[in-house]
Amino acid sequence: VGKMILVCSTWALWYHTLAGIRHLIWDRAIGLELDVAYRLGWAVITGSIILTAITIILHVSLVQ
C-alpha cells in the first residue's frame, strides 16, 4: 500500500508541475485555441505518466 501511495503522489506532483507550465503558457496567450488546449491537456497527462515512470525507474536503480 505504501508503494502505491508513493507512486500516486509522484504522479500527482509531476501532473501539478506540468499543469503549472501549461498555465504559464496560457498566461502568454499561447495555445488558447480549443484543439491546442486539448493537445496540451493530453500532453500534461502523458508527460506526467512518463515522468513518473522515469522517476520510479531511477529510484529503483539508485537504491539497489
Side-chain angles (χ1 to χ4, degrees):
V1 174
K3 289 182 182 182
M4 185 55 103
I5 292 171
L6 180 64
V7 170
C8 291
S9 296
T10 304
W11 175 79
L13 289 170
W14 279 120
Y15 180 86
H16 185 72
T17 300
L18 293 178
I21 292 170
R22 177 179 61 174
H23 280 278
L24 288 174
I25 292 169
W26 284 346
D27 286 345
R28 304 274 302 166
I30 300 170
L32 296 176
E33 298 81 18
L34 192 56
D35 62 328
V36 177
Y38 277 125
R39 283 186 284 164
L40 285 174
W42 281 109
V44 167
I45 293 170
T46 305
S48 63
I49 292 170
I50 291 169
L51 288 172
T52 299
I54 290 171
T55 302
I56 292 182
I57 291 168
L58 286 175
H59 173 71
V60 168
S61 67
L62 292 175
V63 169
Q64 293 178 353

